[in-house]
Amino acid sequence: MAAEQMADGPGAPGRTPPARPLDAIDRSILRILQTDGRASIRAVAERVHVSRANAYARINRLVEDGVIRGFSARVNHERAGQTASAYITLKIVQNSWRTVREQLQALPGATHIALVSGDFDVLLLVHTPDNQALRELVLTRIQAIPEVLSTRTLLVFEETDLGPHPDRPPELV
């Protein structure tokens, strides 16, 4: 999000205003929902020691402020039949981020896209059914994007989801 805001520049149309500061209760609510996105308002309220109305209002504010971007399931890609995973680095034509991002978002198996600094411009995480599908994705889809100057594929041998942990300090939501 920060990279997107930087790429779009200050005062860009459709930019969301800055979120209000989070207090300890907001951070606790976020930790609970990150661990269990299906937690009921009642369960959240009980765990953070506020009324259901207060918990409901806080969650709505976090959604409206864009702090909570949505609710989803964390998927074990291997068990879901996507046995090949890779980080793909891309060098792109200067000032083509928005165009490239739109095309990458449409790719099957793309799960994370980031505009980054350093030796390459974009970092893309993909999950595919097998190495043949990964090869096709890189060689026929990504490298066919005119603004993509070069790619490098880093195979993922094993990954660990670092979801929220109860023993992490509160400021690390």
Side-chain angles (χ1 to χ4, degrees):
M1 181 73 178
E4 183 177 326
Q5 286 178 345
M6 287 175 45
D8 292 340
R15 269 190 66 188
T16 55
R20 292 167 269 202
L22 302 181
D23 63 14
I25 293 173
D26 292 329
R27 288 190 296 275
S28 293
I29 289 171
L30 289 174
R31 276 195 306 280
I32 292 166
L33 293 176
Q34 284 177 306
T35 303
D36 180 7
R38 296 172 52 169
S40 69
I41 298 290
R42 179 177 155 205
V44 170
E46 287 174 0
R47 289 182 59 191
V48 299
H49 309 291
V50 297
S51 70
R52 282 186 293 198
N54 188 335
Y56 182 82
R58 283 175 177 267
I59 292 169
N60 276 345
R61 179 179 51 80
L62 291 167
V63 170
E64 289 170 8
D65 284 355
V67 175
I68 296 177
R69 297 182 299 170
F71 299 86
S72 63
R74 289 193 318 248
V75 175
N76 179 325
H77 295 283
E78 194 169 311
R79 292 192 53 94
Q82 297 177 318
T83 59
S85 297
Y87 285 96
I88 303 167
T89 66
L90 295 83
K91 288 187 181 182
I92 61 174
V93 172
Q94 190 172 3
N95 296 321
S96 65
W97 163 241
R98 287 175 200 81
T99 302
V100 171
R101 178 181 56 197
E102 286 177 20
Q103 294 176 70
L104 295 176
Q105 286 172 328
L107 294 175
T111 59
H112 184 83
I113 304 166
L115 177 65
V116 297
S117 65
D119 293 336
F120 48 87
D121 304 306
V122 177
L123 183 62
L124 170 68
L125 174 60
V126 298
H127 302 281
T128 61
D130 53 35
N131 282 342
Q132 179 63 30
L134 177 60
R135 179 183 184 281
E136 290 296 314
L137 183 71
V138 174
L139 297 180
T140 64
R141 300 283 301 266
I142 296 173
Q143 290 183 356
I145 298 171
E147 297 85 0
V148 173
L149 302 173
S150 67
T151 64
R152 179 172 290 159
T153 303
L154 307 166
L155 293 177
V156 174
F157 296 126
E158 183 177 319
E159 58 187 321
T160 301
D161 183 8
L162 296 179
H165 297 285
D167 55 343
R168 284 193 185 163
E171 63 275 2
L172 299 177
V173 175

